[in-house]
Amino acid sequence: MATMHSKELLSSVSDSVRREFKEQKYILSYDEFLDIFSNEPKRLIRNSAEYMLDMFKFFGVSEIKHGFNHTKRHFKLFERVRGKNKPAIVGQEEAHESIYRVLEQFVRQGKIDKLVLLHGPNGSSKSSTAESLANGLEEYSKTEEGVVYKFNWIFPSDKIGYEGLGDALNKHIGFGDNNPSRNGNKSFAHLEDDEIMCKIVSEMKENPIFILPKKERVEYFKKVIGKNLTHDEIPSYLEEGALGAKSKKIFDSLLVAYKGDLEKVLRHVQVERFFYSSRYREGIASVEPQMAIDAQDRQITMERNMQNIPPALQNIRLYEPQGELIDANRGFIEFADLLKRPLDAFKYLLSTIEKMNINLSSGIADLDLVMMASANEKHLDAFKNSPDWPSFKGRFELVRVPYLLSARLEQKIYEEDIKIIEKTKKIGPHSLNLLARWAVLTRLRQPDPDYYDPGIRNLIARLDPYDKQALYDGNEPSNAFTETEKGLLKKHVEDILKESQSSVAYEGRFGASPREMKMLLYFAAQNERHDSLSTIALFDEVEKLTRDRTIYDYLQFEPRGGYHDYREFIKYIKSQYAQFFHREFLSALNLYDEEQYIKALQRYMKNVTSYLKKEKMQNDITGRQEDANENIMEEMESLMGTTGNKREIRERLVGKIASWRVERPSEELNFAKVFEQELATIAKRIYESKEEEIKKIKSSMMMNGSEDYKNLPKNVLETCENTFANLEEKFHYTRKNAWESLIFLNSIKK
């Protein structure tokens, strides 16, 4: 019975594959190809740059928000999963936009004449970007919009007839008899394997339309377009494209053998749909640093597997081009860490890029491919000081790929690693966020006030790394600035981001690498002293990382104006964690319920709005129209610790809501975010008012696991247990992580 099921399965799969093979038109005769070409000529005459540009468009675009009131175009191509444990690329919209514009430039000018050089610090997603492009090509080529063809030469066995060259001269070209009645002008493209004497593939994967002579193919294109075209409207790829040396020799020999009868030559053409593949180097190649040139050829006419070549072709030398450039033709090639190669190993690229061809022993091979390379900044700096740099500069299109400057986006880089880790270990609250914030803080550069207009120079001079990070994440700066000053800073976020971009030491060039941070995540997860990947465990790993300053250059920078001070950044994220946990602890203790105070703030703001507008408001209980309740407002202002002119205080708070709505018109008002600092103050004041009671419970909970804990008074023990349970259920701490955090909180307060 099982055997029967297996046979049915195989039969079903076989039928499905056969049906797909026919529907996808994998194999075509030349006539069939021309029929398809006539229906969609522009799609089938795209060069590699046009094809890649269309691929960008195919996967779609969206707008994403960066900072305040600023959006960037996001290409969904880079959201594609590139393989197991490889997350989408985040935060590199500017680099991807630059690549898109370079492709547009290639398309406009009708030729590819530059190598796209991705440069940036180690681990900034240069290789991931190239990998995403390759993966996109693979997926796109499987779609109807991304169909692409190459061709092979087919020579039938003696049992297949053809219309020969004439019995009088007793000549034929060695693939059948001369009986014209048996096969006529029927194509050999669909012959079965046992009917084929010899099949010669074209390694260059030339567009099949190039088999037609230049003049005829241009006229055919005009005809199928259905209108008169000017010279400028004819694709240069169509007009200038040519067969590779091997295919040209075969074509010419057949044309001579058939006395110029092109139809008979075209019988031997088998058009084949192909699919891009990185694994099998089909239209995609990646070249690691090496000494060897990336293309060469070898003679194949003397090989045993070519012994069935027709006599008409045996008097010519056929060469098989090979190498990465050949494999990548009609597609995309990446030179990984190009500048790690000795200069002599890639000097040939100068002429290759300029002419888009390469000299082989058999002749010149025309290339149609997008070239991309990657380099880290140190190697690029050294290369710029080389006497050869001016020669290469005009052939490179530089695209910068820096580290991210947004902790919110940085955190997303770790998501796939976290999916792996959380299979065996729980992820502690705030751990990823604080690690991302520390990493980004190490990358920030002190702003230069002289870069800005005189009116805001003093404001910029006061901008410390913590407020700068808040701005880059689209968050409010601290209360060290007035509401007016905050508004000015938010207005100039893009200027702050652009300030150092023309500098060699641009912001995002130095600092902690995402690779290093991922490594810390795994180290923290493996730490047996902790039962979760907790923030406490990450603090230990960050401190270990920074002990040897000689390993990483960003640890060697002298602190200046609060920037580049990795030790202070560690203290900062520790203090942030203490604040977060303290607030959660109070909530778990049922002394501070943030939701309760958010509702109180909403009620307060309702009264404030009525007060400022001098309007009546409806009493929720009695339904009467009344003046704003001064007691409600003063009680909340007391909790928030505000002092000064009441009207000014209330106008400032209303201004915060107005700013949120202006900056985030499509988002729902988030009171917890808008009044984050005020809520933190409320939590602190509640703590101060019940400090002794809280200390007693905290001390008791820190005894967890000991005999003394078990012997606590019943009511105290019950409160401790309820608090532990709330920390686990509401905030997702493990019991041990909560206990560790209490000890940490106690130590940091001292």
Side-chain angles (χ1 to χ4, degrees), residues 449-460:
D450 292 338
Y451 174 84
Y452 301 87
D453 293 335
I456 63 166
R457 284 178 185 170
N458 290 336
L459 190 59
I460 295 295

Side-chain angles (χ1 to χ4, degrees), residues 77-78 80 82 89 127-137:
L77 162 67
F78 299 99
R80 318 294 298 175
R82 294 169 287 118
I89 300 173
S127 297
S128 297
T129 293
E131 193 177 343
S132 289
L133 292 172
N135 186 65
L137 285 173

Side-chain angles (χ1 to χ4, degrees), residues 603 606-607 609-611 615-629 632:
R603 186 169 64 250
K606 188 176 178 181
N607 279 273
T609 303
S610 174
Y611 165 82
E615 295 175 348
K616 299 283 186 181
M617 58 180 290
Q618 184 174 323
N619 186 306
D620 292 335
I621 298 173
T622 65
R624 296 174 182 171
Q625 295 294 316
E626 299 175 351
D627 291 331
N629 190 315
I632 289 175

Side-chain angles (χ1 to χ4, degrees), residues 382-420:
F383 189 47
K384 285 179 179 178
N385 293 321
S386 161
D388 292 287
W389 168 247
S391 301
F392 280 91
K393 182 173 63 174
R395 294 292 161 219
F396 284 175
E397 193 70 51
L398 298 180
V399 173
R400 181 181 291 165
V401 188
Y403 289 145
L404 301 187
L405 300 176
S406 163
R408 175 177 53 83
L409 294 176
E410 177 78 10
Q411 187 174 333
K412 291 183 178 180
I413 296 176
Y414 314 143
E415 286 179 355
E416 288 301 316
D417 299 274
I418 290 305
K419 287 178 184 177
I420 297 170

Side-chain angles (χ1 to χ4, degrees), residues 167-369:
D167 291 328
L169 296 176
N170 193 26
K171 291 181 179 178
H172 57 83
I173 61 173
F175 45 76
D177 62 30
N178 288 334
N179 186 348
S181 64
R182 292 180 58 189
N183 198 59
N185 282 330
K186 185 178 179 182
S187 170
F188 304 132
H190 297 293
L191 293 180
E192 300 293 338
D193 285 347
D194 62 350
E195 298 175 315
I196 296 174
M197 179 177 68
C198 180
K199 175 178 178 179
I200 302 176
V201 302
S202 175
E203 293 78 14
M204 299 297 295
K205 300 178 290 298
E206 304 102 310
N207 192 315
I209 200 68
F210 293 165
I211 294 175
L212 294 179
K214 182 185 297 185
K215 180 181 177 183
E216 283 71 18
R217 81 174 81 128
V218 170
E219 289 303 316
Y220 182 69
F221 182 77
K222 289 179 180 179
K223 181 180 178 181
V224 297
I225 288 293
K227 64 177 182 177
N228 292 324
L229 301 175
T230 65
H231 178 73
D232 290 339
E233 291 177 307
I234 297 170
S236 56
Y237 181 61
L238 173 74
E239 196 168 25
E240 298 170 10
L243 295 176
K246 185 171 78 172
S247 288
K248 185 68 168 69
K249 286 180 179 179
I250 294 173
F251 177 85
D252 289 345
S253 296
L254 289 176
L255 197 62
V256 169
Y258 280 125
K259 295 184 172 18
D261 191 334
L262 181 62
E263 286 190 47
K264 292 180 180 178
V265 174
L266 296 179
R267 290 187 302 169
H268 297 274
V269 177
Q270 180 190 68
V271 177
E272 178 184 352
R273 180 175 181 178
F274 75 93
F275 302 93
Y276 290 97
S277 171
S278 299
R279 180 184 295 273
Y280 302 111
R281 296 213 310 198
E282 185 80 2
I284 299 172
S286 180
V287 185
E288 299 299 322
Q290 60 187 26
M291 288 291 291
I293 196 167
D294 303 307
Q296 56 273 325
D297 55 15
R298 63 190 183 92
Q299 188 173 350
I300 61 171
T301 38
M302 300 303 293
E303 287 194 355
R304 183 179 297 274
N305 65 353
M306 293 294 289
Q307 64 184 356
N308 291 330
I309 193 170
L313 304 182
Q314 289 177 2
N315 63 340
I316 60 174
R317 291 183 179 181
L318 295 182
Y319 289 84
E320 177 185 275
Q322 57 185 8
E324 289 87 349
L325 283 171
I326 305 302
D327 294 336
N329 198 44
R330 299 281 308 279
F332 170 71
I333 189 168
E334 178 212 3
F335 297 93
D337 291 314
L338 176 71
L339 301 183
K340 283 185 179 179
R341 292 177 166 195
L343 182 60
D344 289 341
F346 64 88
K347 262 190 175 180
Y348 73 92
L349 283 177
L350 270 179
S351 59
T352 301
I353 297 165
E354 183 177 3
K355 300 174 183 176
M356 279 312 285
N357 61 38
I358 191 160
N359 285 316
L360 303 174
S361 57
S362 60
I364 294 175
D366 288 331
L367 297 172
D368 168 31
L369 72 169

Side-chain angles (χ1 to χ4, degrees), residues 566-578:
Y566 64 90
R567 292 188 183 92
E568 283 300 316
F569 298 156
I570 294 174
K571 290 179 183 177
Y572 171 74
I573 60 172
K574 284 184 174 181
S575 70
Q576 289 291 294
Y577 182 62

